[in-house]
Amino acid sequence: MNANEHDRRLEEAAAFALGALDAERIDDFREHLKDCKRCQDELRWLAPAVLALPEAIEQQTPPPALKVRLMEEVRADLAAEAESVPERKGFREWLAGVNLGGLTWKPLAGVAAVVLIVAAGIGYAIGNGGGNGNVHTWESEQPGGIQASVVREGDEGELRLTGLGQVERGKTLEAWVERGETVEPVKMLFKPDQEGNATTQIEDLEGVEAVMVTEEPAAGSKQPTSKPFVNVPLET
Amino acid sequence: MTPVRREKAERLADEELMPWIAKRDPEAFEVFYDRHGGAAYSLAYRILGERTGAEDCIQEAFISIWRSGARFDRTRGSVRSWTLSIVRNRAIDALRSKAGKAPKLTFDDDAILEARPAAEHTEAEVLSQETADEVRGAISQLPADQSKVIELAYFGGFSQSEIAAMLNVPLGTVKGRMRLGLEKIRGELAEGMA
């Protein structure tokens, strides 16, 4: 790599540190970073400047009512936990018991895949999971319906969705990973854009058998409160 | 795990609080909010520019932390940096969603947390808290074109290409301004620590 090329990379380090590197450049830069001590040093040097930015803004006092609402939700969570999904109960077993107006959880041969078209109010089960190397895809049977793919890189991955309807106010989408009899929420909640597309990152796909999506209250849920309307089986 | 008493929770370091939160201890969570809620709310308000949106953002971010406290990984950064990165990502997503753009939904701030060995986290934390005035001073002394691109990137959630288009300047100019601006802030911080 010549000096000019390296200067370009160093400028990208600043954008990367600020979270402003263009999406299509991020993977390339990360790859470069693995072997470039100079860029690693540059990032280490710049890190405190970026981390100090939120500390340097004008400080606001949050309204006391915000803490009251927050703690009410925390205590409501605790109160509800006793009545929520029993931890030792299998996820599929729990799903089988969820009342969804006659809909049932139907494990399909080899691969379990269920879709519930929430936006349309129509739900039906299909087995349409497909895998191709590190890209695992799924689509609803409804023409023009939801399409989902999980793009896997090692133990990390990205869930990409298209054909989504808009999420109603006070609701959000939450992704879940299924490992054996347990289901865990993915870190970030997300919503579709105006075109009905959405993506979210999945930090740990190790041992995951399926990635699912449900609609949840705006703050997200600890466990799914409805059947998933997207279910991408992963071939582990 | 027996619930931790508030007085005890107040004596715990952030990293010691998180296991209690992971065990669903409301007192530990309240102390955590008291410590970081102000900075988090200030950041959300700075990004979103209005109180209702900032409150919604904080409510969602902190409940998300409450429900996933066990996922904090101390090797990747301090609790405060982790918390503020969650708040920032959520606020930026809300901003982009309001503007009809695809949510960013990437952990860009994690990248910067990953960039440092764990041993450097505490130093950076102390540095950032003790020198807020210096950073404010450093930002205010930056040439307007440098502070503008940094603000648009960090508080606006815009990519360098979006900023270039917005300011009608070449992409290389935006990259250069970002780097120069950050280098100057970093230099001021280093001087403050000397």
Side-chain angles (χ1 to χ4, degrees):
Chain A
M1 183 178 296
N2 62 37
N4 286 341
E5 173 71 2
H6 209 276
D7 282 347
R8 183 177 69 79
R9 297 287 194 179
L10 282 176
E11 283 179 345
E12 287 191 335
F16 184 75
L18 281 166
L21 192 58
D22 290 316
E24 62 271 19
R25 297 286 312 141
I26 290 175
D27 288 346
D28 184 56
F29 182 77
R30 279 187 191 276
E31 198 59 34
H32 167 76
L33 199 57
K34 285 180 188 168
D35 301 317
C36 180
K37 185 169 185 314
R38 202 170 151 207
C39 283
Q40 290 170 14
D41 289 344
E42 178 76 357
L43 267 184
R44 285 198 186 96
W45 166 251
L46 293 177
V50 176
L51 293 173
L53 290 174
E55 304 286 353
I57 58 178
E58 184 182 344
Q59 293 300 297
Q60 308 283 334
T61 304
L66 175 57
K67 180 178 170 182
V68 172
R69 286 200 303 273
L70 193 60
M71 293 311 297
E72 278 175 357
E73 195 165 350
V74 163
R75 293 184 197 287
D77 250 18
L78 291 172
E81 273 176 13
E83 298 172 8
S84 70
V85 186
E87 284 188 10
R88 286 185 296 177
K89 194 174 183 180
F91 179 56
R92 289 176 202 286
E93 192 184 343
W94 169 74
L95 278 175
V98 175
N99 183 355
L100 286 161
L103 298 169
T104 54
W105 170 257
K106 295 181 181 174
L108 302 171
V111 178
V114 169
V115 60
L116 171 66
I117 306 300
V118 174
I122 304 167
Y124 50 93
I126 61 168
N128 197 20
N132 178 18
N134 285 326
V135 180
H136 304 265
T137 59
W138 174 94
E139 62 182 76
S140 71
E141 282 185 343
Q142 191 181 55
I146 301 167
Q147 293 187 320
S149 60
V150 173
V151 181
R152 184 171 189 157
E153 277 193 35
D155 285 336
E156 297 181 1
E158 183 176 82
L159 172 64
R160 298 172 183 169
L161 300 165
T162 61
L164 294 166
Q166 289 306 304
V167 177
E168 66 180 272
R169 188 174 168 80
K171 297 280 189 177
T172 189
L173 298 183
E174 188 161 7
W176 309 87
V177 292
E178 183 189 4
R179 290 184 181 87
E181 287 297 310
T182 66
V183 61
E184 298 163 10
V186 169
K187 203 170 179 181
M188 286 292 287
L189 304 173
F190 60 104
K191 288 181 180 175
D193 63 18
Q194 289 184 329
E195 281 76 47
N197 304 319
T199 60
T200 192
Q201 305 298 314
I202 304 170
E203 289 188 322
D204 183 10
L205 281 171
E206 187 177 2
V208 169
E209 294 159 16
V211 176
M212 296 165 284
V213 182
T214 60
E215 190 176 58
E216 299 293 336
S221 301
K222 191 184 171 195
Q223 290 166 316
T225 60
S226 60
K227 281 193 176 181
F229 63 92
V230 163
N231 185 317
V232 187
L234 306 189
E235 292 165 355
T236 52
Chain B
M1 190 180 266
T2 308
V4 65
R5 293 178 60 86
R6 166 117 196 162
E7 308 86 70
K8 183 184 173 189
E10 284 173 346
R11 289 197 298 272
L12 295 176
D14 283 348
E15 287 72 16
E16 295 168 323
L17 269 182
M18 299 315 286
W20 289 97
I21 294 172
K23 296 285 183 186
R24 325 288 291 149
D25 189 298
E27 301 285 348
F29 182 76
E30 189 173 2
V31 169
F32 165 73
Y33 175 81
D34 288 344
R35 284 183 192 170
H36 304 298
Y41 177 77
S42 302
L43 178 58
Y45 180 75
R46 175 69 179 76
I47 290 170
L48 292 164
E50 47 103 7
R51 296 192 180 280
T52 305
E55 288 180 37
D56 288 348
C57 174
I58 295 305
Q59 176 104 5
E60 290 178 15
F62 275 75
I63 284 297
S64 158
I65 289 169
W66 162 249
R67 290 174 180 158
S68 64
R71 282 182 246 173
F72 168 70
D73 179 356
R74 64 192 305 167
T75 66
R76 296 182 69 184
S78 69
V79 170
R80 190 178 183 88
S81 297
W82 176 72
T83 303
L84 293 179
S85 83
I86 289 171
V87 168
R88 178 187 176 247
N89 275 306
R90 199 166 286 263
I92 295 291
D93 283 345
L95 197 64
R96 293 178 71 89
S97 180
K98 204 161 63 173
K101 293 178 180 176
K104 214 165 180 186
L105 292 170
T106 54
F107 289 83
D108 295 319
D109 295 314
D110 280 0
I112 200 63
L113 298 179
E114 286 168 20
R116 298 167 302 139
E120 294 180 22
H121 295 150
T122 305
E123 179 199 347
E125 185 70 11
V126 172
L127 179 148
S128 63
Q129 287 175 359
E130 290 184 348
T131 59
D133 286 342
E134 286 175 28
V135 177
R136 271 193 287 271
I139 293 171
S140 69
Q141 286 171 28
L142 287 180
D145 54 7
Q146 291 172 18
S147 62
K148 183 78 176 171
V149 295
I150 289 173
E151 291 212 0
L152 286 170
Y154 190 83
F155 297 110
F158 294 102
S159 72
Q160 51 186 9
S161 290
E162 289 172 325
I163 295 169
M166 197 181 303
L167 300 179
N168 198 25
V169 296
L171 179 59
T173 302
V174 172
K175 289 181 184 176
R177 288 175 183 175
M178 275 183 186
R179 186 180 174 201
L180 282 173
L182 273 189
E183 291 280 3
K184 284 178 187 169
I185 293 171
R186 185 62 181 94
E188 289 291 326
L189 288 174
E191 276 185 28
M193 292 291 288

